[in-house]
């Protein structure tokens, strides 16, 4: 697959929004890949803000701060997929999980989510994103 994989940066934020707003990505629009970054009950959104808007703002804050949060796949310059990948310690839910607990104390990166718009599924986008992440 001819796919270019790039880290999400503030300059690429609009590309992430395009992926999340595409047909078939409604779950991503609600979560904004923040689910595993929290443990327990997520923080309440600010008054007048939905949970989805709060999660979007949280992710944007991480991106603007230069934290690694994931990679975007591009085909012909068009964003076609997303993989959420970061150092495991950034995922609070993984740290507390008895099912997904660390197997040793070595620092590793974890993948918690793939988002591929419906029109790009079945074309190897997720596999190419995984290869790029590795």
């Amino acid at each position: 697959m001819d796919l270019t994989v790039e880290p999400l940066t503030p300059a690429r934020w609009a590309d992430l929004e395009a992926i999340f707003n595409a047909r078939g990505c409604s779950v991503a629009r609600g979560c904004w890949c923040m689910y595993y970054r929290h443990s327990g009950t997520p923080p309440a959104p600010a008054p007048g803000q939905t949970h989805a808007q709060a999660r979007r703002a949280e992710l944007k804050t991480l991106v603007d701060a230069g934290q690694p949060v994931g990679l975007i796949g591009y085909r012909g310059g068009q964003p076609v997929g997303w993989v959420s990948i970061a150092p495991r310690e950034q995922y609070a839910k993984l740290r507390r999980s008895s099912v997904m607990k660390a197997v040793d104390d070595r620092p590793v990166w974890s993948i918690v989510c793939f988002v591929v718009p419906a029109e790009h599924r079945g074309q190897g986008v997720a596999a190419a994103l995984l290869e790029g992440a590795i």
Side-chain angles (χ1 to χ4, degrees):
M1 153 150 295
D2 184 22
L3 194 86
T4 303
V5 178
E6 300 288 345
L8 177 59
T9 63
R12 294 189 185 100
W13 181 258
D15 295 340
L16 180 68
E17 289 182 314
I19 292 167
F20 280 30
N21 287 322
R23 187 174 66 80
C25 299
S26 62
V27 171
R29 282 191 297 277
C31 176
W32 285 90
C33 290
M34 293 302 295
Y35 177 79
Y36 284 95
R37 292 181 181 277
H38 297 288
S39 184
T41 305
Q49 190 178 46
T50 67
H51 284 283
Q53 290 168 331
R55 291 178 185 133
R56 178 192 173 281
E58 282 183 277
L59 184 61
K60 180 81 165 84
T61 297
L62 294 175
V63 172
D64 289 345
Q67 285 196 28
V69 296
L71 306 169
I72 298 176
Y74 294 89
R75 182 185 300 134
Q78 177 186 8
V80 296
W82 159 258
V83 60
S84 179
I85 179 172
R88 181 182 172 88
E89 62 269 9
Q90 290 185 13
Y91 297 117
K93 197 169 292 294
L94 293 182
R95 285 196 312 264
R96 286 194 41 192
S97 174
S98 61
V99 175
M100 297 178 283
K101 61 185 171 194
V103 295
D104 57 34
D105 61 352
R106 295 175 57 192
V108 297
W109 285 53
S110 295
I111 292 174
V112 296
C113 186
F114 288 90
V115 179
V116 179
E119 67 182 288
H120 301 291
R121 293 180 189 156
Q123 301 171 31
V125 172
L129 285 166
L130 178 59
E131 185 176 317
I134 293 168

